[in-house]
Amino acid sequence: MQQTHRFFVGSLATTFLAGSLSMTAIAQERKSPDLAQTISKVRENVATLHKKLPDFICQEEVTVRETENARTIEEKHYLLSLRAVRRPHDAANLFSESRDVISATINGKAVNEHKYDPPIHWLRGGFARDLFTFFDEPTSSCYEFKPISTPEATENNTLVLDVTLNKNLRPLPPECAHISMGLSGARVSIDLKALQVLRIQEETMHSEQFSGPFSRQNGSFACSPVIEYAPVSIHGSEYWLPRSKSVDFIKTKGQFSHSYMSQYSDYQKFETSVTITTVPEAKW
């Protein structure tokens, strides 16, 4: 009986030790990665995208919803557009981003692509601005990155960050002086395996005056634009580009809201070719 008792206690001790080592391994596996190293690698990947991204064509499906007093009106815009990002030619212009509509329909009816006007200016571009401002030089150095712990992030192997302008930089250096209020802060999700940006949610903004579709509903609105990224293949190379972009304008007083959702698909490299034909001289 005495030997059995000692064996049982020894087995318990061995089991406890193995369990402790296992829990320690799991804790180390789930330990937050080195923040500075992670941000540095993400910056490298974004800088590479900035340098290598070709001009490309993609399909856009834009859903526009207006809700007032429980009544909703919806429009569907289908676009084929050409996108391009250019490196700066001078210090005053960090980068330029263009979007040319090749074809467009609204609710199934074709519209003149040269006269197509997006519902709001915010939908004209947006592929590069947020990503390059937060993670490409020279503006990235103007921000602070603070990790936020969420259960979903741990399960999905993502790192969630609150990104804000560095309060110690006063006054802001010239390269950051142009940053808009909408980009003064954001919540960003990073894929820790690919070390790429998964999601950017801009800081909530409040506007009091609108034109166009909002003119009859002027007042105070809150909005928080969101961009979600995913890997896409263009001409055999992989790039992390937006798969969707959305924004909801919600009136703080009254039952009125405007929402916009853009979904992007069918990415293709934009290519042109020139053929020079020599016409032989006529013999008379």
Side-chain angles (χ1 to χ4, degrees):
M1 290 293 293
Q2 190 175 3
Q3 289 180 345
T4 304
H5 177 71
R6 280 200 297 267
F7 175 77
F8 179 68
V9 172
S11 299
L12 279 178
T14 302
T15 303
F16 176 77
L17 178 60
S20 298
L21 291 173
S22 177
M23 292 299 292
T24 302
I26 293 172
Q28 289 177 344
E29 185 179 345
R30 292 185 178 181
K31 185 180 178 181
S32 297
D34 181 82
L35 182 60
Q37 186 177 356
T38 299
I39 297 300
S40 176
K41 188 60 181 176
V42 172
R43 283 172 170 165
E44 287 180 20
N45 289 335
V46 171
T48 299
L49 173 71
H50 198 165
K51 292 175 183 177
K52 295 186 176 181
L53 181 65
D55 295 354
F56 60 90
I57 295 172
C58 70
Q59 296 278 356
E60 298 180 45
E61 179 183 330
V62 184
T63 303
V64 184
R65 289 190 182 92
E66 177 184 300
T67 302
E68 183 175 13
N69 297 323
R71 179 175 174 265
T72 299
I73 300 174
E74 182 175 291
E75 282 187 351
K76 287 281 190 181
H77 299 225
Y78 291 94
L79 313 173
L80 181 65
S81 62
L82 167 63
R83 301 273 186 163
V85 175
R86 296 287 179 263
R87 303 284 302 177
H89 295 290
D90 56 72
N93 186 19
L94 299 178
F95 65 88
S96 61
E97 179 182 5
S98 65
R99 173 210 198 218
D100 297 311
V101 175
I102 300 172
S103 63
T105 64
I106 299 178
N107 291 340
K109 296 181 179 179
V111 298
N112 188 323
E113 65 273 14
H114 300 294
K115 295 181 179 180
Y116 175 78
D117 190 28
I120 55 175
H121 180 76
W122 187 79
L123 290 173
R124 293 181 188 274
F127 269 72
R129 186 190 72 158
D130 296 53
L131 194 63
F132 293 162
T133 299
F134 292 132
F135 291 99
D136 203 4
E137 294 300 343
T139 52
S140 182
S141 57
C142 298
Y143 289 94
E144 294 180 305
F145 300 87
K146 179 183 177 183
I148 303 297
S149 177
T150 64
E152 295 81 6
T154 303
E155 293 175 4
N156 298 325
N157 198 30
T158 60
L159 173 66
V160 180
L161 302 168
D162 271 351
V163 183
T164 56
L165 282 172
N166 191 334
K167 298 182 178 63
N168 296 322
L169 295 177
R170 292 294 182 271
L172 287 174
E175 60 268 22
C176 299
H178 74 286
I179 294 175
S180 67
M181 288 300 295
L183 295 179
S184 60
R187 179 156 290 187
V188 179
S189 297
I190 304 295
D191 184 312
L192 288 175
K193 184 177 180 181
L195 292 172
Q196 298 279 5
V197 175
L198 278 173
R199 189 176 190 268
I200 297 177
Q201 181 173 353
E202 294 179 15
E203 194 172 70
T204 300
M205 297 179 293
H206 297 273
S207 302
E208 294 186 355
Q209 296 294 323
F210 288 97
S211 59
F214 293 114
S215 57
R216 66 183 181 84
Q217 291 290 347
N218 274 331
S220 178
F221 285 80
C223 67
S224 186
V226 175
I227 307 174
E228 295 189 346
Y229 297 83
V232 300
S233 178
I234 301 178
H235 202 64
S237 297
E238 184 180 273
Y239 304 92
W240 281 68
L241 293 171
R243 64 177 181 181
S244 67
K245 185 175 183 181
S246 62
V247 61
D248 294 322
F249 290 92
I250 301 173
K251 195 168 186 179
T252 53
K253 293 183 179 180
Q255 297 180 341
F256 181 81
S257 67
H258 246 82
S259 67
Y260 301 88
M261 165 67 84
S262 295
Q263 293 181 304
Y264 306 100
S265 62
D266 196 19
Y267 286 84
Q268 299 179 41
K269 184 178 180 181
F270 177 72
E271 296 181 298
T272 59
S273 61
V274 177
T275 302
I276 301 175
T277 304
T278 302
V279 180
E281 294 182 6
K283 295 181 180 180
W284 299 97

